[in-house]
Amino acid sequence: MQREITLTDQPIDLRRPLPPALVGTAGAVAEFQGLVRADEAGTAISALEYEAYAPMAERVIHRLCEELPAAGDCLFARITHRIGVVPVGEAAIHIVVAARHRAAAFAFLAAFMDRLKQEVPIWKVRALDSTGQPVPPRP
Amino acid sequence: MQREITLTDQPIDLRRPLPPALVGTAGAVAEFQGLVRADEAGTAISALEYEAYAPMAERVIHRLCEELPAAGDCLFARITHRIGVVPVGEAAIHIVVAARHRAAAFAFLAAFMDRLKQEVPIWKVRALDSTGQPVPPRP
């Protein structure tokens, strides 16, 4: 499975085309965007801030791309995670998976997201309020 | 769940933005594109041709959007199916689903595609070869 894995502090470009070699081969493209919502545990926020232990995060993402059972039936995965301040409504993560058939693409996408949350060292450090100040922890 | 359901004989615009009302509310956007592959049952093709019984197809798609268990936890679905000649590498179907959380979006997408194939009167009428002629049925 061909891979493109990127951690970036810039807005994610959601519109990059598939690699040309997939045209005619891929019959299914599944995508996921995880967007920042305007409330975090009931508090109104303007952004979330993410940090990563980048070398390890990339290593674990590569490993998941090898280990996940559905990966063998996928042709391509592009995984992009944004780090730093991500405003409400923007994507913190974007995944594109291409396969010959949809079952493999759906299976990879769902399994990857479950494992990402558990195993990849990328985390929300804080939520920011409308003035950009950290939201205080709730009592 | 807000819906946009379209059958079209034009190339599908894959880049339409989400409705603005979803910004801040949707935390998960899942998408699927079904692309035409360059071989159909082992024969090289240049395109597939789709036909629909359009009024009923739209009615059944609306019904699925009401019936599928995950629909109640989704905020928005945009379902676009192309009809007529769809060249290799282009999308015959595109679905965008938005939800607060990813589980509902993934569940809707997978269940919708399964039911679409079984219940919606849209079908491949023929495959076309590199000269645009119908591929003869295999002996």
Side-chain angles (χ1 to χ4, degrees):
Chain A
M1 183 178 70
Q2 189 187 342
R3 298 169 227 166
E4 295 176 10
I5 294 165
T6 310
L7 304 186
T8 176
D9 59 3
Q10 298 298 310
I12 299 175
D13 179 0
L14 302 165
R15 298 181 168 196
R16 289 163 61 201
L18 289 176
L22 294 175
V23 173
T25 310
V29 177
E31 293 192 41
F32 174 71
Q33 295 171 50
L35 305 175
V36 175
R37 290 188 292 116
D39 69 285
E40 177 77 359
T43 303
I45 67 167
S46 65
L48 287 174
E49 188 173 348
Y50 290 85
E51 279 183 10
Y53 177 43
M56 185 174 164
E58 292 184 5
R59 213 156 52 228
V60 176
I61 292 171
H62 275 286
R63 180 168 56 70
L64 292 179
C65 288
E66 285 160 13
E67 273 184 16
L68 290 175
D73 292 319
C74 292
L75 300 164
F76 172 74
R78 176 183 291 145
I79 296 158
T80 313
H81 205 302
R82 187 164 165 189
I83 307 299
V85 174
V86 186
V88 163
E90 297 189 15
I93 185 162
H94 181 221
I95 306 179
V96 181
V97 189
R100 289 180 63 80
H101 303 288
R102 72 181 188 280
F106 287 163
F108 181 88
L109 204 53
F112 181 86
M113 283 304 301
D114 289 345
R115 298 280 294 269
L116 174 83
K117 302 271 176 174
Q118 293 163 10
E119 299 178 32
V120 177
I122 299 176
W123 59 91
K124 298 176 193 173
V125 257
R126 60 181 72 83
L128 305 178
D129 68 16
S130 61
T131 67
Q133 295 304 305
V135 173
R138 311 184 87 201
Chain B
M1 183 177 68
Q2 188 187 343
R3 298 169 227 165
E4 294 177 9
I5 293 166
T6 310
L7 304 186
T8 176
D9 59 3
Q10 299 298 311
I12 298 174
D13 178 0
L14 302 165
R15 298 182 168 195
R16 290 163 61 202
L18 289 176
L22 293 175
V23 173
T25 310
V29 177
E31 292 192 40
F32 175 71
Q33 294 171 51
L35 304 176
V36 176
R37 290 187 293 113
D39 70 285
E40 177 75 0
T43 302
I45 67 167
S46 64
L48 287 175
E49 188 173 349
Y50 290 85
E51 279 183 11
Y53 176 43
M56 186 175 163
E58 293 184 4
R59 214 157 49 228
V60 176
I61 292 172
H62 275 286
R63 180 168 55 72
L64 292 179
C65 288
E66 285 160 13
E67 272 183 19
L68 290 175
D73 293 319
C74 291
L75 300 164
F76 171 74
R78 176 183 292 146
I79 296 159
T80 313
H81 205 302
R82 188 164 167 191
I83 307 299
V85 174
V86 186
V88 163
E90 298 191 14
I93 184 162
H94 182 222
I95 305 179
V96 181
V97 189
R100 289 180 63 81
H101 303 288
R102 73 182 188 279
F106 287 163
F108 181 88
L109 204 54
F112 180 86
M113 283 303 302
D114 289 345
R115 298 281 294 267
L116 174 82
K117 302 270 178 175
Q118 293 164 11
E119 299 178 33
V120 177
I122 299 176
W123 58 91
K124 297 177 192 173
V125 257
R126 59 181 74 84
L128 305 177
D129 69 16
S130 62
T131 68
Q133 295 304 304
V135 174
R138 313 183 87 201

